[in-house]
Amino acid sequence: MKKKQINIIELDARDARYQSGIATYFNVLRDGMPDYINTYNIVFYRSPEYKEIHIKNTDQELQIYHPDTISVVSMFETVFAFVWPKLQNMTNLIVKSDCLSCEGLAYMIKSRMYCKTIGVLHCQPTMNLAPGFVPGDPYFNMDHIILVGDNGRKYMDYWRCKRPFDVIYNGVEKPKITHKKPKDNVFRFIFANGWSPHKGFAKIIPAIRQVAKKHKIEVFVLGGHSREVEPLFEEIKDLPIINLGLTNDQKKIRECYEKADCALFASQTEACSFAGIEAMAYNLPVISTNESAMVEMFGPAALFVEMGPGPEFAVNATEYAKQMLRIIEDKALRVKLSALGYSRYLSRYTLKKMLSKTIDIYNSLV
């Protein structure tokens, strides 16, 4: 039987200066969808460096570049007016809010035309645990909710959200490794989360400095940065840190993973890191902070370092360096963690599993 045509609108708001896991989510979903499911993205790119709104429209994506200070309501109204002619021609429409600042646009569309809505919890929101505080539920009007990890359940409880939800882990396609690791006695680490403060790379620079005194190493850093970070680049120019910046060059990214011997993570907050999935898919041992979602993701496949509390979270540099040294000096440990990580990838985080479960939800809603 012929499938009904389904149209998906993906909504996201992101900081234009940094790498975004949701961008990867959009790409892998779109590339893997069957012919009867069409996808159109609406993405808000914010930056303090933007002085005015600039809109770029393609057949597959509407991009809105805007300052941090702009009125969200007026921006949503403008975007709705812009896409209304396109929306009118979309049957079996599902609008997905892929970040917590876009549900307002999803509800605006839902109030003005018939559609279904899905909220996707890609982040770890702040929870106010003060006695008597009752938080508002941003997902109160969603027809379905997708959590990308079991850690998201605590936010459903926190919001007292009663909407139906499913846990669907993020997934990536199994990589085809085409190059052998260089045999030059350099131990290479990869940090694929860039310089966003909550990803914590600056917190582990003291650990890298300690390890570099004992071993010949390199650290690939993939992802963007803000201008506030640039003074730090002068301080670390003596370290073997290779800063590759904001890049969508898949060949370059793949080469970094293939050369790497271990993946590093230092996040204060995560949900279901695509970089973490990629590390396991590339058979890399992992060192990570003990952030709850990272512990859920890696389980026994990583060495964890305790993360300090509060917004200015700390990472014990001496302990982090100790774990880096363990990985370098203990080949049996590397092999064990690599095998555990790859097995975990195959059991939870494949693209096939992610696509299948997501398509099932789409079909059930229409």
Side-chain angles (χ1 to χ4, degrees):
M1 186 174 69
K2 186 177 180 180
K3 295 282 189 178
K4 292 181 180 180
Q5 192 72 38
I6 298 175
N7 290 285
I8 308 296
I9 300 289
E10 301 271 15
L11 307 177
D12 182 34
R14 63 188 71 153
D15 192 318
R17 298 170 295 176
Y18 304 118
Q19 219 67 29
S20 170
I22 304 179
T24 305
Y25 177 83
F26 281 6
N27 291 338
V28 298
L29 273 188
R30 171 182 282 161
D31 292 346
M33 283 294 117
D35 291 341
Y36 70 91
I37 299 179
N38 296 322
T39 304
Y40 182 72
N41 301 337
I42 300 176
V43 185
F44 297 89
Y45 294 92
R46 67 186 180 276
S47 172
E49 297 172 14
Y50 297 151
K51 304 305 178 186
E52 58 186 22
I53 295 178
H54 173 69
I55 296 178
K56 180 179 179 182
N57 188 33
T58 69
D59 289 339
Q60 293 186 319
E61 185 165 292
L62 180 67
Q63 301 170 347
I64 305 97
Y65 299 88
H66 65 90
D68 284 341
T69 54
I70 194 166
S71 165
V72 172
V73 174
S74 61
M75 188 163 56
F76 285 173
E77 288 284 1
T78 301
V79 169
F80 180 83
F82 194 93
V83 299
W84 173 240
K86 182 183 288 287
L87 296 178
Q88 286 180 300
N89 297 319
M90 292 183 176
T91 57
N92 298 314
L93 177 62
I94 298 173
V95 182
K96 292 173 67 183
S97 176
D98 286 281
C99 76
L100 284 172
S101 58
C102 285
E103 74 275 8
L105 180 54
Y107 297 150
M108 179 183 290
I109 295 172
K110 188 174 186 178
S111 70
R112 299 177 185 184
M113 64 181 296
Y114 181 79
C115 66
K116 298 292 186 176
T117 52
I118 296 176
V120 189
L121 189 60
H122 283 287
C123 64
Q124 295 258 34
T126 301
M127 292 194 293
N128 182 349
L129 301 178
F133 178 78
V134 180
D137 174 14
Y139 288 158
F140 72 97
N141 201 20
M142 292 295 171
D143 293 294
H144 207 90
I145 298 165
I146 294 174
L147 309 179
V148 297
D150 284 309
N151 59 85
R153 295 175 187 270
K154 63 188 176 188
Y155 298 101
M156 297 297 100
D157 294 338
Y158 171 71
W159 291 323
R160 302 178 186 178
C161 181
K162 303 301 181 184
R163 308 304 296 158
F165 68 86
D166 283 277
V167 175
I168 303 178
Y169 296 116
N170 291 333
V172 301
E173 190 173 7
K174 181 181 176 180
K176 296 178 181 177
I177 299 175
T178 57
H179 297 91
K180 294 183 178 180
K181 297 186 188 301
K183 294 183 178 181
D184 55 5
N185 295 318
V186 178
F187 195 96
R188 292 177 172 86
F189 297 94
I190 183 170
F191 187 95
N193 277 325
W195 296 83
S196 179
H198 74 277
K199 300 295 186 179
F201 184 74
K203 305 287 185 179
I204 64 172
I205 288 174
I208 293 170
R209 189 174 295 279
Q210 291 178 39
V211 174
K213 292 177 181 178
K214 298 184 178 182
H215 291 278
K216 192 174 182 180
I217 65 170
E218 287 181 348
V219 183
F220 300 123
V221 182
L222 285 72
H225 70 275
S226 64
R227 289 184 178 178
E228 290 80 6
V229 174
E230 290 176 359
L232 183 59
F233 294 164
E234 279 296 308
E235 298 177 24
I236 64 173
K237 63 183 180 181
D238 63 316
L239 291 177
I241 295 173
I242 302 171
N243 187 15
L244 297 169
L246 193 65
T247 178
N248 293 312
D249 185 336
Q250 294 303 310
K251 182 180 178 182
K252 182 183 293 186
I253 294 171
R254 186 171 61 250
E255 288 176 355
C256 288
Y257 275 112
E258 290 178 349
K259 289 180 179 178
D261 299 291
C262 176
L264 302 178
F265 295 88
S267 297
Q268 178 190 23
T269 176
E270 287 285 355
C272 186
S273 166
F274 273 100
I277 298 171
E278 289 166 349
M280 291 186 287
Y282 276 95
N283 285 277
L284 296 180
V286 168
I287 301 170
S288 174
T289 45
N290 66 337
E291 195 278 336
S292 62
M294 303 304 266
V295 173
E296 177 187 341
M297 168 172 280
F298 298 127
L303 301 178
F304 293 104
V305 178
E306 186 173 355
M307 177 181 66
E312 297 299 324
F313 74 106
V315 179
N316 187 318
T318 299
E319 183 63 24
Y320 204 99
K322 178 181 175 182
Q323 302 293 29
M324 291 174 70
L325 291 171
R326 285 184 66 195
I327 287 289
I328 293 172
E329 296 167 0
D330 191 338
K331 183 178 179 180
L333 177 62
R334 292 200 304 273
V335 171
K336 175 185 174 182
L337 294 179
S338 299
L340 288 171
Y342 187 67
S343 174
R344 203 166 179 84
Y345 158 72
L346 291 176
S347 65
R348 283 191 177 193
Y349 301 109
T350 64
L351 179 59
K352 183 178 180 180
K353 292 179 186 293
M354 174 187 172
L355 289 174
S356 175
K357 293 180 179 180
T358 303
I359 292 170
D360 284 347
I361 289 176
Y362 292 168
N363 287 326
S364 70
L365 287 180
V366 300

